[in-house]
């Protein structure tokens, strides 16, 4: 029993560290989504368990009120999307229509898959990886100073943004850089991720609603013609 516990602890310690096994685990997690979305987030949960990392270190801390967390997350996410669509993105010169997903307009058959993407892949998966797990890993390297936390917000936001280039181009990168910076800053300040998961899903669902009902242009021209 003692040897089994000792072996288990050695494995956990190596997974938490940045030796060969720790680096290999990072590469496997980063490469997970190339095989199946959201495999990276699932692998993060496995890594947390095997490495004996406290769940709170990736932001999985039970909120005082689930109802309040859901309410605040939904309101914030939807309001944030309207702000981005009606003011921020027009000021950046982004086109009013997201061509990458315009095929969803009026396409009821696409809704189940899109809801899965918005809620599971984006809301849960992306927040688990790009906020929770990346902040934990980079925090172990950089520390917890203001400079370190700022650097982590910037690095994770850039990585998050660049991944949106393939399907959404420069406008998608710009929007993801802003949203990643906002969500990252909130996570750096609170260390809690469930509200961000809800807000991220609500943000994307608001975008989906605009696309499905083909009213993107109306919102994009609400203040700027």
């Amino acid at each position: 029993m003692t040897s089994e516990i000792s072996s288990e602890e050695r494995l956990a310690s190596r997974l938490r560290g940045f030796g060969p096994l720790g680096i290999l685990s990072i590469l496997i997690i980063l490469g997970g989504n190339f095989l199946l979305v959201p495999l990276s987030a699932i692998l993060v949960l496995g890594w947390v368990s095997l490495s004996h990392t406290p769940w709170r270190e990736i932001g999985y801390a039970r909120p005082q009120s689930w109802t309040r967390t859901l309410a605040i997350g939904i309101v914030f996410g939807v309001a944030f999307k309207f702000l981005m669509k009606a003011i921020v993105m027009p000021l950046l010169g982004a086109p009013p229509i997201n061509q990458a997903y315009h095929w969803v307009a009026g396409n009821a058959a696409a809704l189940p898959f899109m809801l899965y993407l918005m809620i599971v892949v984006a809301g849960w998966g992306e927040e688990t990886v790009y906020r929770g797990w990346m902040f934990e890993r980079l925090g172990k390297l950089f520390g917890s100073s203001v400079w370190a936390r700022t650097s982590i917000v910037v690095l994770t936001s850039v990585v998050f943004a660049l991944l949106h280039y393939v399907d959404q181009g420069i406008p998608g990168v710009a929007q993801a850089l802003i949203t990643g910076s906002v969500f990252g800053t909130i996570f750096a300040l609170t260390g809690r991720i469930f509200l961000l998961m809800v807000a991220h899903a609500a943000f994307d669902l608001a975008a989906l609603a605009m696309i499905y009902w083909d009213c993107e242009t109306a919102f994009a021209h609400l203040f700027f013609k």
Side-chain angles (χ1 to χ4, degrees):
M1 179 65 71
T2 303
S3 62
E4 290 179 3
I5 295 175
S6 176
S7 174
E8 184 179 323
E9 287 299 331
R10 283 199 298 270
L11 173 63
S13 177
R14 289 170 181 169
L15 286 171
R16 290 194 304 270
F18 295 93
L21 188 57
I23 293 175
L24 178 61
S25 70
I26 290 172
L27 294 176
I28 290 174
I29 289 172
L30 290 175
N33 282 352
F34 289 102
L35 299 175
L36 174 69
V37 177
L39 180 57
S40 289
I42 296 171
L43 291 173
V44 165
L45 302 189
W47 174 84
V48 169
S49 179
L50 290 173
S51 67
H52 297 175
T53 298
W55 289 98
R56 65 179 178 276
E57 292 196 12
I58 66 165
Y60 277 52
R62 184 187 299 273
Q64 293 181 342
S65 169
W66 283 105
T67 301
R68 184 171 59 186
T69 296
L70 285 170
I72 294 175
I74 291 171
V75 171
F76 174 68
V78 172
F80 190 17
K81 177 57 191 180
F82 278 102
L83 174 68
M84 291 294 295
K85 190 67 179 181
I87 298 178
V88 178
M89 297 309 292
L91 287 174
L92 294 177
I97 292 178
N98 185 339
Q99 292 294 342
Y101 291 100
H102 192 60
W103 60 274
V104 179
N107 185 356
L111 290 181
F113 177 67
M114 293 304 296
L115 290 173
Y116 165 77
L117 284 182
M118 305 296 101
I119 298 171
V120 178
V121 175
W124 173 70
E126 291 183 349
E127 289 307 311
T128 295
V129 174
Y130 298 108
R131 254 61 72 183
W133 176 71
M134 282 193 175
F135 270 71
E136 192 283 336
R137 293 287 74 198
L138 292 172
K140 288 294 189 294
L141 286 174
F142 295 169
S144 58
S145 66
V146 173
W147 176 88
R149 288 176 178 271
T150 302
S151 299
I152 292 170
V153 170
V154 171
L155 285 173
T156 55
S157 299
V158 168
V159 172
F160 179 67
L162 290 177
L163 291 174
H164 288 72
Y165 178 77
V166 175
D167 63 335
Q168 298 185 56
I170 295 300
V173 170
Q175 177 170 258
L177 183 62
I178 295 169
T179 57
S181 298
V182 171
F183 290 159
T185 299
I186 293 172
F187 186 73
L189 293 173
T190 67
R192 293 175 177 269
I193 204 167
F194 290 125
L195 185 143
L196 293 176
M197 288 180 179
V198 176
H200 192 152
F203 182 98
D204 285 357
L205 289 172
L208 175 62
M210 293 179 192
I211 295 171
Y212 180 76
W213 281 302
D214 200 15
C215 55
E216 284 187 283
T217 301
F219 283 108
H221 292 166
L222 194 60
F223 300 106
F224 304 99
K225 304 301 180 183

